[in-house]
Amino acid sequence: MSEQDPRVLLQKADKALQSASGGFSFFGNKTEKFENAADLYTQAANCFRVQKMNKEAGAAFEKAAAIFTLNLNEPGDAANTLTEAFKVYRKSDPEDAARVLQTAIQHYISTGNFRRAASHQQNLAEVFEVEIGDETRALAAYEKAAEWFEGDNAEALANKHFLKVADLAALKGDYAKAVANFEKVAKSSINNNLMKWSVKEYFMKATMCHLASKVSYYASSTLPTAAVQYS
C-alpha cells in the first residue's frame, strides 16, 4: 500500500494516539504527540474523502476532533474538524451529519462564536428539512438560528429564518406560530428600506393563517355534531 493510503495513515494515527495516551512524558512532548495524532487522523480523513469514502472520512475527522476536545482542550479546532465531518457525512449519512454538527455548534457557542454557531444552525435546519425530511426538527432548528442571528444584531438573517419558521409552521397547521412570526417580520420590516415593500405580503400571509385557523377550528368543532346527526 502507498504512503497516502488512508488506512496506513489511520494505523499511524492510532499508534500515535496510543503512544501519547500511555506512559509518562513531559507535558510539551505529550502535547506534540496528541497534535501529531490529530494531524494524522485529519490526513486520513482527507484521503478517505478524495476516494469518496464518506463514512470512513467522517469517522476519522471525529477521532481528530475527540483529541482536540479531550486531550488538547481546543474547542475551536474541534468545532472546525467536526464541520468537516459534517460535510462528508451529509452526502451519505445525514443523521450522522446532524449529530456532529450539533456538537460543533456547542463548541462554537462555548468559545463565543455565536455568528458561526447561528450559520451552522441554519445548515442543521436544512439537513433536517431536506435530507432527513423531519419538519418538526427543522422548524425548531430554524427558530433557534433566527433567535441567534437576532441576538447578534443580524436582522436580515434573523428575519429570513423567522419567515422560514412561519412557512413550516403554517404547513404543519400551527397557525398561531405562523401568524406570530409573519407579524414579527412585518413589524420589523416597516422601517427597513430593503424590506418595507414586502410588509404587505407578510401581513397578508398572517391574515390567511388567521382565517385558516378559524376554518380548522370550525371544522373540528362541528364534525362531532355532524357525525351525531347523520349516524
Side-chain angles (χ1 to χ4, degrees):
M1 290 188 291
S2 68
E3 186 66 13
Q4 290 304 307
D5 187 308
R7 292 177 182 80
V8 172
L9 291 169
L10 206 57
Q11 290 173 358
K12 288 184 176 182
D14 289 338
K15 289 180 180 178
L17 179 59
Q18 186 176 13
S19 174
S21 302
F24 172 81
S25 63
F26 291 107
F27 177 76
N29 187 39
K30 204 174 188 69
T31 298
E32 288 178 7
K33 287 183 177 181
F34 280 123
E35 289 174 344
N36 181 50
D39 182 59
L40 286 167
Y41 279 125
T42 301
Q43 289 182 46
N46 284 320
C47 286
F48 279 127
R49 174 189 260 172
V50 169
Q51 296 181 18
K52 297 183 178 180
M53 300 175 69
N54 296 321
K55 195 170 188 68
E56 291 80 0
F61 277 128
E62 285 197 73
K63 288 184 177 181
I67 294 173
F68 286 127
T69 302
L70 301 174
N71 306 112
L72 295 173
N73 192 28
E74 294 287 352
D77 288 333
N80 292 336
T81 304
L82 287 170
T83 59
E84 294 304 310
F86 162 73
K87 292 174 186 176
V88 292
Y89 277 143
R90 186 173 186 174
K91 298 174 182 178
S92 55
D93 302 280
E95 285 288 358
D96 282 331
R99 174 179 56 79
V100 296
L101 190 58
Q102 285 173 306
T103 304
I105 289 168
Q106 292 306 310
H107 284 310
Y108 286 127
I109 291 173
S110 72
T111 57
N113 199 335
F114 296 107
R115 176 61 68 89
R116 184 167 288 187
S119 296
H120 284 301
Q121 186 70 19
Q122 173 188 338
N123 293 334
L124 179 64
E126 290 170 354
V127 170
F128 285 144
E129 181 185 14
V130 179
E131 280 89 344
I132 298 176
D134 188 332
E135 290 183 352
T136 299
R137 285 194 287 174
L139 190 154
Y142 279 122
E143 189 167 32
K144 188 172 289 186
E147 291 169 352
W148 289 351
F149 279 124
E150 185 178 44
D152 201 43
N153 296 318
E155 184 181 33
L157 288 169
N159 284 342
K160 173 185 173 182
H161 291 85
F162 281 128
L163 288 173
K164 191 68 180 180
V165 171
D167 287 336
L168 286 176
L171 288 173
K172 288 174 61 63
D174 188 348
Y175 298 115
K177 181 181 284 290
V179 168
N181 281 276
F182 280 130
E183 290 183 345
K184 176 182 177 67
V185 176
K187 291 173 183 177
S188 72
S189 301
I190 290 174
N191 296 319
N192 186 316
N193 289 331
L194 295 176
M195 299 282 291
K196 64 182 181 181
W197 307 111
S198 300
V199 170
K200 184 182 293 186
E201 176 190 348
Y202 302 147
F203 277 126
M204 184 179 297
K205 287 184 176 181
T207 300
M208 291 173 66
C209 288
H210 269 303
L211 294 173
S213 66
K214 290 181 179 180
V215 170
S216 177
Y217 174 77
Y218 178 77
S220 62
S221 62
T222 57
L223 186 60
T225 302
V228 170
Q229 289 177 343
Y230 293 100
S231 61

